[in-house]
Amino acid sequence: MSDASLNTDNAALPLEAGFGDFFALLKPRVMTLVVFTAVVGLLAAPVAVHPVVALAAILFIAVGGGAAGALNMWWEADIDAAMKRTRKRPIPAGRVTREEAFAFGITLAAFSVVMLALATNFLAAGLLAFTIFFYVVIYTIGLKRWTPQNIVIGGAAGAFPPMIGWAAATGTISIESVMMFALIFMWTPPHFWALALFMRGDYDTAGVPMLTVTHGRRATRVHILVYTVLLAALALGAAFTGIGGPVYLGVAVVFNALFLRDAVAIWRRDEAQAEADNYRVEKRAFRLSLWYLFAHFTAILAEAVLSGFGLGGWA
Amino acid sequence: MSFRAPHELHKRRFGRNLGLGLVLAAFVALVFGLTVAKVSNTAFKVPSLSQGGN
């Protein structure tokens, strides 16, 4: 670009991306969940990891998750432009081109997998590679636009980070890491369906076949209840595995009781009632679901920390 | 004689370059830390040259 081109009005300038725009491509809010659950998976493992290796592992898992987010934005630029919630993202806003996002995402994906393999082991790196592949190819490109079960199956991608953290520490997959995976996997559908109930216009506009659109809102309410019951059984069952203990059980009892209360309330309501109070219960259930996951993983972490003092678990 | 204020485009590029520079510096520090952690590990052994040759 010649300097002459700079002597124009700001309005006529190309919207060149800043550092923050590339950072936004990594979906930093989703990344916080990835980092938190991966940290818990790594620290809950019964193997001591050198702090620098642990830091590097978490960082590369986070970068891998961010790369998947960038590739998701590359593919879904049209959906993001149609939805109010996402239209200010860097690609629909015109600050980053789709090609730049693709190059950025694919480079970071390869980088994160190779670096995780070098820092920890091939199993953790393989799981990270599979997670990125699953999120981008299976969920984003494959499932999201043609099946209302997109959230159910796509939830697996978000469920892998604690398993990767555990594998980074131990080099294995075990019942404990599978339980952490299952907890996020079962939590994802009711969490997103509660959101879909009160963000009603967005998914319809974008043509994404959410359950609310394809099977109706009554069916979505039933699905939320069924998945929350299954989730509660799983979350309470996890209390009696290696990651559980009295602290975890206490937290699980309280939060599952609250989540079940909201799921039953959602199931009992119809659209007229929900519209009358502006989806108060659905919004409350969505907010609670965020605390639910945070509380369960904090409790797993607490059990791991307590076991360092000979207090954690049932022993 | 006064300098002209930097153009908005240059400011944005400077921010991007600075951010990238800091990320690269942090990466170098991390790889150095990882190397120290790995070679300090009691299980670490320097690979034998004769084994590598065969």
Side-chain angles (χ1 to χ4, degrees):
Chain A
M1 179 190 280
S2 73
D3 278 344
S5 64
L6 298 178
N7 297 327
T8 54
D9 287 347
N10 278 355
L13 284 173
L15 285 169
E16 196 167 319
F19 185 77
D21 293 315
F22 282 100
F23 186 68
L25 281 180
L26 304 178
K27 295 195 175 182
R29 285 180 68 181
V30 177
M31 206 196 270
T32 54
L33 178 71
V34 169
V35 168
F36 177 61
T37 55
V39 166
V40 173
L42 195 138
L43 295 180
V47 178
V49 183
H50 191 288
V52 177
V53 176
L55 174 72
I58 297 302
L59 209 63
F60 297 134
I61 294 169
V63 171
L71 291 169
N72 169 274
M73 285 203 209
W74 156 70
W75 187 260
E76 293 193 340
D78 57 330
I79 295 180
D80 286 349
M83 299 209 302
K84 197 168 64 184
R85 186 170 63 88
T86 53
R87 69 174 55 135
K88 286 184 181 165
R89 284 178 174 175
I91 303 176
R95 296 190 300 275
V96 175
T97 64
R98 285 191 70 207
E99 292 73 19
E100 283 172 331
F102 177 76
F104 184 62
I106 205 86
T107 306
L108 282 188
F111 168 81
S112 62
V113 170
V114 170
M115 287 309 300
L116 188 64
L118 292 172
T120 61
N121 56 64
F122 285 108
L123 178 66
L127 283 172
L128 180 64
F130 181 72
T131 304
I132 297 169
F133 168 80
F134 195 90
Y135 185 67
V136 177
V137 179
I138 308 289
Y139 170 67
T140 304
I141 299 176
L143 296 172
K144 187 164 179 179
R145 295 186 195 227
W146 70 265
T147 167
Q149 294 303 313
N150 48 18
I151 288 303
V152 179
I153 305 161
F160 274 111
M163 212 176 191
I164 303 172
W166 181 280
T170 63
T172 61
I173 294 171
S174 65
I175 181 72
E176 290 86 358
S177 68
V178 173
M179 288 307 277
M180 287 190 278
F181 169 91
L183 199 60
I184 304 178
F185 180 72
M186 291 304 295
W187 165 88
T188 307
H191 165 77
F192 271 105
W193 286 330
L195 176 73
L197 279 174
F198 64 82
M199 295 287 285
R200 48 182 314 166
D202 259 7
Y203 290 109
D204 305 25
T205 313
V208 177
M210 284 297 276
L211 199 63
T212 44
V213 182
T214 58
H215 289 67
R217 309 174 74 76
R218 183 71 242 151
T220 306
R221 291 173 186 280
V222 173
H223 272 69
I224 288 175
L225 179 62
V226 171
Y227 272 84
T228 308
V229 169
L230 294 173
L231 173 66
L234 187 98
L236 292 170
F240 303 99
T241 67
I243 52 171
V247 174
Y248 174 89
L249 183 62
V251 168
V253 166
V254 170
F255 275 88
N256 282 284
L258 290 171
F259 206 15
L260 277 170
R261 178 203 64 183
D262 281 355
V264 170
I266 287 174
W267 170 66
R268 292 176 63 155
R269 279 150 69 88
D270 58 24
E271 281 311 296
Q273 287 171 300
E275 278 178 16
D277 64 8
N278 196 24
Y279 294 90
R280 187 179 61 83
V281 176
E282 289 78 2
K283 286 176 182 173
R284 188 180 68 195
F286 177 74
R287 277 196 302 272
L288 175 71
S289 70
L290 294 169
W291 286 109
Y292 177 98
L293 199 69
F294 178 71
H296 277 75
F297 275 84
T298 303
I300 294 170
L301 186 60
E303 292 288 357
V305 171
L306 286 171
S307 72
F309 299 98
L311 296 169
W314 297 105
Chain B
M1 178 183 165
S2 63
F3 291 105
R4 277 193 301 174
H7 194 277
E8 165 63 21
L9 198 65
H10 287 150
K11 274 194 218 166
R12 233 178 297 165
R13 280 183 192 164
F14 176 74
R16 202 171 62 194
N17 294 342
L18 182 69
L20 184 62
L22 290 174
V23 168
L24 287 175
F27 178 63
V28 169
L30 185 69
V31 171
F32 178 72
L34 262 179
T35 309
V36 172
K38 294 267 181 190
V39 298
S40 308
N41 191 325
T42 47
F44 178 77
K45 286 186 189 139
V46 179
S48 155
L49 279 178
S50 58
Q51 278 177 347
N54 293 325

